[in-house]
Amino acid sequence: MDCLEFLRTSIAKKELPTYVYGYPSKRAYRAFSQPLRITDLVEQANGSKQINIYIHIPFCRYRCTYCTLFLTTRHRPETLKSYVGRLLEHIARYGEYFGDREVVSIYFGGGTPTLLTQRQFGELFAALDAAFPKRSPRCETTVETTPDSFDSSFLDCLKALGVNRMSMGIQSMEPGELAHSGRPYSVEAAKAAMKALVERFSHVNLDLIYGLRGQTRGSWSASLGRVLDHEPQTLSLYPVVVRPMTSITTSKAHNPELFFSEVEKYEVYDRNVALMASKGYRQESFTRFTKIAGDHAYRQEASDFGGTPLLGLGAGARSYFGQYHYSTDYVVDWSAASSIIDAFSARPFDPDAMASHGIKLTQDDLARRYVLLGLSLSALSRRNYAAVFGGALAADFGEELKALESLHLVNLADGNAYQLTRAGFKYSSIMARMFYSGRMVALEEQHQAA
């Protein structure tokens, strides 16, 4: 099937693939025949003077029904203490090799990073300051959180440490939907948490999910309206994804009538776009809407998509160094997470065995990644592509780009940058699949069949 026919067919069927936020996905990772060495990574990173840092905190109090993230709910204070201790060692040792680079962004993700203590955050920031002293003047420092995992003192501590962006999953403002999602806090707790964040931080991102069990269009609109009342700078609105080995999969199999269809999700999406525009928000991706003027609302993503190396620290964290994309062992069956986390905490830093799992991208896949991720943020430059890959974008991806233009999914601004149209944002996940290489499709299919 050619590109144009693929797009027409997928759009006509109202297909809604999983939102694409990276390439390749972890489903394409395999065990390396030989572990990656630090010298392999240094060689790949030599072309960049900057770096992004991601720190994974894989601990939560509960697992939401739709969650497939690498985390465990089985932990004690001693578990977090040993894990943070190993992170401190990794930060210091990685700094020996990459500490001369300018840090563009720091992101604490999870899990629930705010399950750490204020003292542990202080130790981590002190280690980062010592190992990576160069900061971009606009360095974005983000911490993820949940409404029931912090108090005012904790937020004041994070702000004093230099955190300038907070991201919190709200998901719903309806008690029944929260309960069905496995989130045990009250709507009142969510309101108080939002108020506390927006009072203290210049940039707050809030997540909401549409298509949850029992949700109606009316209840979704009510949730979105209640969150908008707090005027967050950025809102990320996700359609629920029903993935294997999550409890929501079983729930939908038994009661499909309680969930939005793909067609209904697209209809809700259209209403979201119109509402967010009326409230003064600019659409930045399929999911993200922001009031941040003249800049990306998630700089780590934009910098990563542009090719800046991403150093992932912690069990389950992903790292991107040129051709090498890697992680610790990763989880399909969530019950394996605890053993992988314990192994990370017990194993000292080894420069000759940095990663056991991942993939080495070809030059073709690096180009595909650059194009599909650049398009997803509506920022694919012909000039930049030529500077990075030494060839013409139109020559390398002419068929795909012509198909996008013919269906009015992109515009060419100033003869240089491809930008998504309103329809392009809507169908960006379908568009992204068009750029997958045959190798990546095969690896993902093999993983799903295993």
Side-chain angles (χ1 to χ4, degrees), residues 360-377:
K360 186 176 182 180
L361 274 62
T362 64
Q363 283 299 119
D364 175 64
D365 271 317
L366 286 172
R368 290 176 179 275
R369 179 177 193 268
Y370 188 92
V371 171
L372 76 86
L373 297 181
L375 274 176
S376 73
L377 287 181

Side-chain angles (χ1 to χ4, degrees), residues 235-346:
L235 268 172
S236 297
L237 310 178
Y238 296 95
V240 71
V241 177
V242 180
R243 292 188 177 99
M245 285 172 286
T246 57
S247 58
I248 198 172
T249 303
T250 303
S251 180
K252 186 173 182 181
H254 287 96
N255 300 104
E257 73 282 357
L258 297 179
F259 295 84
F260 289 157
S261 67
E262 306 298 80
V263 170
E264 289 172 318
K265 287 179 187 176
Y266 270 127
E267 290 171 349
V268 171
Y269 168 89
D270 287 336
R271 293 176 62 183
N272 294 343
V273 170
L275 176 63
M276 297 305 288
S278 74
K279 298 291 185 180
Y281 286 83
R282 167 177 57 86
Q283 186 168 11
E284 187 171 86
S285 71
F286 176 75
T287 60
R288 191 163 55 250
F289 302 82
T290 186
K291 287 187 175 181
I292 300 295
D295 195 5
H296 290 285
Y298 183 7
R299 290 182 200 155
Q300 180 159 111
E301 182 181 75
S303 179
D304 165 37
F305 286 9
T308 301
L310 173 66
L311 172 60
L313 298 163
R318 299 175 66 177
S319 294
Y320 310 134
F321 280 86
Q323 289 182 279
Y324 288 112
H325 288 208
Y326 67 90
S327 176
T328 58
D329 195 0
Y330 57 97
V331 173
V332 176
D333 181 355
W334 59 265
S335 62
S338 291
S339 62
I340 296 171
I341 293 165
D342 290 343
F344 170 84
S345 299

